[in-house]
Amino acid sequence: MGLTTPIIQKLKSPIDSIRDYKDSEVPKMQQEADEGRTPPNLNKDIEKMEKLKSFADKIPPLVRTVRNTIIAIETAKKIAEAAKDAGKIGSALVPPVAAAGVLQEKIVEATKKEIARAKAELPVVEMLTKELKALAIAVLIALLAIKLKNKNGETSEDDIGDTQNQLDSLLTEEDLSGLDEELGTGVTTITRTTTASGTTTSGGVGGGY
């Protein structure tokens, strides 16, 4: 297993499920809200998307760690290659040294392959991270808009204000990062006129994938 393989596996698993949820479940929930009904799993689904976004936010530091690890391994590899070359001098005279040299050479070659693989996979990790984060933000914006649109008498003003602030923060983050334009999540179809007194939407959050 390579340096980046576990990260890629963890990123890939939720992406398809979020896509399906965005394209199938979110429109149904928007329809329920339009009819004055609160989707039963709305708050739970918001929490799930928040966790997925938080997970995506933690990946860039891991990528930096992998990059630093690669640098360290490359430095160690250069030292090993120098030792391998030095070992060849004595290997002709001492058989055990020759055997050690063969093993050392195999380790160096295996390290080269691992570094090359990790370098090739890092852009994939970065792409999948952006995709996961963009999808999580897209769905969160939609769900928070639904929550604001279909607030009821049991919802406190503080809760409404917190939801509005969270929605505004996500819209700002999405705009500044350009995730929607870059990855086509369909968030741009949500009208940016959401207020605590009501939310209007145009076209839902479909499309993009």
Side-chain angles (χ1 to χ4, degrees):
M1 183 177 291
L3 290 170
T4 54
T5 302
I7 303 175
I8 290 176
Q9 290 173 346
K10 289 287 185 181
L11 285 168
K12 278 184 174 180
S13 57
I15 286 177
D16 288 339
S17 61
I18 300 178
R19 282 179 183 163
D20 292 339
Y21 180 91
K22 178 178 71 69
D23 293 337
S24 60
E25 295 303 317
V26 170
K28 293 177 184 177
M29 297 172 82
Q30 287 175 325
Q31 182 64 36
E32 288 181 282
D34 289 341
E35 295 171 356
R37 293 180 287 127
T38 300
N41 295 321
L42 181 59
N43 288 330
K44 286 184 178 180
D45 289 353
I46 288 174
E47 289 180 6
K48 289 178 183 177
M49 293 303 153
E50 287 173 340
K51 289 178 180 179
L52 286 170
K53 179 183 176 298
S54 177
F55 169 65
D57 287 335
K58 293 176 182 176
I59 298 301
L62 290 178
V63 171
R64 287 194 293 272
T65 299
V66 171
R67 290 188 189 281
N68 291 335
T69 301
I70 289 173
I71 293 172
I73 291 175
E74 285 182 324
T75 301
K77 179 172 67 69
K78 289 177 182 178
I79 295 172
E81 286 176 334
K84 179 189 71 174
D85 292 338
K88 288 180 179 178
I89 297 173
S91 64
L93 300 175
V94 186
V97 174
V102 171
L103 177 60
Q104 193 173 44
E105 188 164 354
K106 288 182 178 180
I107 293 173
V108 169
E109 289 303 315
T111 302
K112 284 181 181 179
K113 292 179 181 179
E114 183 56 46
I115 290 175
R117 179 180 176 182
K119 283 183 174 180
E121 288 180 345
L122 278 176
V124 177
V125 172
E126 292 170 341
M127 180 195 69
L128 291 174
T129 301
K130 286 183 178 180
E131 186 172 2
L132 176 59
K133 183 173 181 177
L135 284 167
I137 288 178
V139 174
L140 267 174
I141 288 174
L143 296 182
L144 291 171
I146 290 170
K147 185 174 181 178
L148 283 174
K149 182 175 184 178
N150 201 35
K151 59 187 181 295
N152 51 51
E154 297 178 359
T155 305
S156 67
E157 289 299 321
D158 287 342
D159 187 40
I160 293 172
D162 290 343
T163 301
Q164 181 64 56
N165 290 336
Q166 186 179 3
L167 178 57
D168 291 342
S169 176
L170 286 169
L171 287 169
T172 300
E173 182 177 0
E174 188 258 348
D175 284 338
L176 290 176
S177 63
L179 288 172
D180 181 62
E181 293 181 4
E182 184 176 348
L183 295 168
T185 59
V187 180
T188 51
T189 59
I190 297 178
T191 306
R192 260 53 168 188
T193 55
T194 302
T195 65
S197 60
T199 301
T200 57
T201 60
S202 57
V205 293
Y209 285 99

